[in-house]
Amino acid sequence: MCWSAEADLVAGTVVTGLGVACLSGVRHRRQLALAALPLLLGVHQLVEAVVWLGGEGRVDPTVAQAARFVWALIAMPVLAVMVPVGVWCAAGRPRRLLPFLVLGAATAVPLTVAILTGPVTAEAHGHTLSYAVGLPLAPLLLAGYLVATLGPLVAGPDAELRRLGWAMAVGALVCAVLWRTAFASTWCALAALVSVLLLRWVRGPAGVRAP
């Protein structure tokens, strides 16, 4: 997980491998966006390993800066759009999930602008990393981000995805309580591990149910 470069490397490698297995099990195009989530989050952990190495002076500062930038892009705007779109497609594009897509896109825009204008910094606090991006109205954006990423999973029609959504919601609460200063890093690490539940969803009857 996010405890060190080595831990991120191991976790990222495992989750990435499971992500490849998840994608290989896809039987319907509508599954693709969600099935790609474990692979994306596994790569995300590998990127964070480079962030750790940069903080320890073990890689070139330019490489470390690029790693922080990529980490923030995946963690914030990419997930804010990818998760609601993936659930919407998997559920057969129901209208009741459209508000989550709109919210995700609306949240992703200021997040992307803030990351592009930078800087993105990362500071070690013991065994966690605290990321900082100059976000306007940060509490409001965080609320929109969490609703956009967790809401469609919890509100969707698929029982497996609802379980995934509640697991990630509980994880967000635990990370906020235990690692408030490093919430983004710890929650993304937990989400990477929990996302492997999608392997069961892809291969099980819920993942192939007709919309």
Side-chain angles (χ1 to χ4, degrees), residues 49-127:
V50 180
V51 175
W52 273 107
L53 295 174
E56 297 167 359
R58 295 161 63 185
V59 297
D60 186 90
T62 303
V63 174
Q65 182 180 9
R68 293 193 298 269
F69 176 79
V70 172
W71 188 96
L73 275 181
I74 295 174
M76 299 178 191
V78 171
L79 289 182
V81 173
M82 182 176 177
V83 175
V85 168
V87 177
W88 180 65
C89 290
R93 302 180 180 180
R95 289 185 179 180
R96 67 190 177 96
L97 294 182
L98 282 175
F100 296 110
L101 274 72
V102 174
L103 180 60
T107 303
V109 170
L111 289 174
T112 302
V113 171
I115 293 168
L116 290 177
T117 55
V120 179
T121 62
E123 183 179 352
H125 292 277
H127 294 291

Side-chain angles (χ1 to χ4, degrees), residues 8 16 24 27-28 42 44 47 55 60 85 103 115 117 120 133-135 142 155 161 179 184 189 196 205:
D8 264 328
T16 298
S24 69
R27 285 170 279 181
H28 296 274
H44 196 225
V47 171
D60 186 90
V85 168
L103 180 60
I115 293 168
T117 55
V120 179
V133 181
L135 294 177
L142 176 60
L161 296 183
W179 301 289
V196 300

Side-chain angles (χ1 to χ4, degrees), residues 1 5 7-20 23 35-52 66-75 78-79 82 131 188-189 191-193 195-196:
M1 292 187 37
D8 264 328
L9 181 60
V10 171
T13 301
V14 171
V15 175
T16 298
L18 292 172
V20 172
L23 273 177
L37 191 59
L39 177 60
L40 176 68
L41 290 175
V43 171
H44 196 225
Q45 293 305 117
L46 295 176
V47 171
E48 188 168 71
V50 180
V51 175
W52 273 107
R68 293 193 298 269
F69 176 79
V70 172
W71 188 96
L73 275 181
I74 295 174
V78 171
L79 289 182
M82 182 176 177
Y131 291 85
C188 282
L193 298 181
S195 71
V196 300

